[in-house]
Amino acid sequence: MADLAPGTGGEVRQLLGVTIGITSDRRSSDMIATFERKGASVVHAPTMRIVPLTEDAELLAETRDVIADPPDDVLVTTGIGLRGWVEAADAAGLATPLLETFARARVLARGPKATGVIRANGLREEWSAASEQTAEAVERLVAEGVAGRSIVVQLHGAADQDQLAPLVAAGARVRGVSVYRWLPPDDPAAVERLVDLVATRRLDAVVFTSAPGALALLEAARGAGRLPEVVAGFAEGVVACAVGDVTAEPLRAVGVEPLVPDRWRLGALLRTLTAHLAEHPLARVETPAGTLRLRAQAAVLDEQVLELAPGPLAVLRRLADAQGAVLSREDLLPALPGAADAHAVEVTVARLRSALPDPALVKTIVKRGYRLSVAATGEETS
């Protein structure tokens, strides 16, 4: 029996019924489109926003300073950051002197993307970090000796000034140029809603593409007094997915271990998270009507997303977790917060049955309770 539904153009819809939160501002439309093509619903809540580089007066002032006071070494941390810096300089008529300044310096790259943009601008890097981490580049510079040297570091949004401290301690004069300017979100209410969805386990995953974005969500949760709930949500069903180890650092600092792709690229993140969610629903049960998968806000029976209100979905989740065992009305009552008595369970089970393609999937066991009809040997469970 097929467990993946075909989408338009023959694409497999591996994420039917899945709900994913996206925290990024930049390039979010590509991620949203990809996840939706695969069948997911997306909650978009950018936790930070980026100032357009051409409008950043501080960046242009720093650019003029670099040209007027040329460095001995330039560390490029991101390809998109260098590209944006050159574009902003070009808009101000400073691109040529900036690139000439770089050409006279020793240029180091944090990884292959930075290397590609360095070369695209007619420059040549002397060295590139295999780990794609700023710390490795700093260690390299310190090992080669930087006493008395002037170093310019093109910072990225996740830049931690503490990572550059060894250069200063080794006698270098260090200037960090922040190419991205991170500001609070345009829609704080959307971020508050995202915090609530994580805290109440109503998301299957949250995607993080920058350390400031991850930190901003955690700070929003802390400000709302809900950080412990959010950390618990990530530990109990909501998958945190970070594009790389730098982005993962703020999450790990509060005890959240995110899913991180082997290659720290957006495409690898999309593939890794898709594969993980496809293989790890909150619950999976084989029933006479097909494979039932439970998601944070939906249930999928083979290729059909069931239209279930929160109450019936919560009861179905409890029955699925029991894998065919009988649950009493008292066992099911905690799944319905605010419900007063066992009668509420009976009403909710009736609503659940009416939403199922076959009401007999939920069986009544006289004087004992209810159970989900499971396939094969599980059908004999009592």
Side-chain angles (χ1 to χ4, degrees), residues 113-361:
K113 284 196 171 182
T115 296
V117 179
I118 288 169
R119 295 180 181 180
N121 280 284
L123 304 171
R124 180 63 58 174
E125 79 290 349
E126 180 172 304
W127 176 85
S128 179
S131 68
E132 301 184 42
Q133 297 199 50
T134 301
E136 183 186 354
V138 169
E139 289 173 5
R140 168 88 176 205
L141 284 165
V142 170
E144 292 185 349
V146 294
R149 295 181 70 84
S150 171
I151 302 173
V152 165
V153 182
Q154 172 258 308
L155 303 173
H156 57 94
D160 182 352
Q161 294 286 355
D162 291 342
Q163 294 183 84
L164 307 181
L167 295 173
V168 177
R173 181 167 68 95
V174 180
R175 286 173 286 170
V177 177
S178 298
V179 177
Y180 311 145
R181 202 72 62 193
W182 298 86
L183 295 176
D186 285 326
D187 189 357
V191 179
E192 292 173 9
R193 178 170 178 254
L194 189 66
V195 167
D196 180 67
L197 291 173
V198 176
T200 55
R201 283 75 155 171
R202 286 182 290 155
L203 290 174
D204 294 283
V206 180
V207 174
F208 299 97
T209 58
S210 73
L215 184 60
L217 180 68
L218 298 175
E219 288 300 321
R222 184 178 283 108
R226 306 193 71 179
L227 182 60
E229 294 175 76
V230 166
V231 172
F234 282 127
E236 300 168 5
V238 183
V239 178
C241 188
V243 73
D245 281 344
V246 173
T247 299
E249 285 178 5
L251 298 166
R252 289 171 175 156
V254 297
V256 175
E257 184 55 46
L259 180 68
V260 178
D262 292 337
R263 297 182 68 250
W264 300 350
R265 302 286 183 271
L266 187 57
L269 178 149
L270 297 173
R271 291 189 295 272
T272 298
L273 182 58
T274 296
H276 180 87
L277 292 175
E279 292 301 319
H280 298 88
L282 295 176
R284 185 199 317 256
V285 184
E286 297 298 331
T287 78
T291 302
L292 176 68
R293 288 178 175 80
L294 275 297
R295 301 295 188 179
Q297 293 193 39
V300 181
L301 187 59
D302 270 1
E303 300 174 2
Q304 179 183 358
V305 179
L306 305 178
E307 299 294 333
L308 297 175
L313 177 61
V315 168
L316 180 59
R317 184 174 293 119
R318 289 290 181 94
L319 293 170
D321 287 341
Q323 295 285 318
V326 177
L327 296 182
S328 68
R329 291 167 179 79
E330 290 72 24
D331 291 331
L332 292 172
L333 190 58
L336 303 173
D341 52 36
H343 177 66
V345 175
E346 296 173 6
V347 172
T348 303
V349 169
R351 292 169 61 198
L352 171 59
R353 284 176 169 149
S354 68
L356 295 173
D358 180 1
L361 285 174

Side-chain angles (χ1 to χ4, degrees), residues 30 50 56 136 221 251 359:
D30 292 340
I50 303 173
D56 192 336
E136 183 186 354
L251 298 166

Side-chain angles (χ1 to χ4, degrees), residues 67-141:
I67 294 168
D69 183 8
D72 299 301
D73 304 300
V74 176
L75 172 56
V76 179
T77 62
T78 64
I80 193 167
L82 178 58
R83 183 182 298 114
W85 189 0
V86 173
E87 289 175 355
D90 186 54
L94 299 173
T96 297
L98 179 65
L99 292 174
E100 289 174 347
T101 299
F102 289 164
R104 292 190 295 270
R106 179 175 58 170
V107 179
L108 295 87
R110 197 185 65 152
K113 284 196 171 182
T115 296
V117 179
I118 288 169
R119 295 180 181 180
N121 280 284
L123 304 171
R124 180 63 58 174
E125 79 290 349
E126 180 172 304
W127 176 85
S128 179
S131 68
E132 301 184 42
Q133 297 199 50
T134 301
E136 183 186 354
V138 169
E139 289 173 5
R140 168 88 176 205
L141 284 165

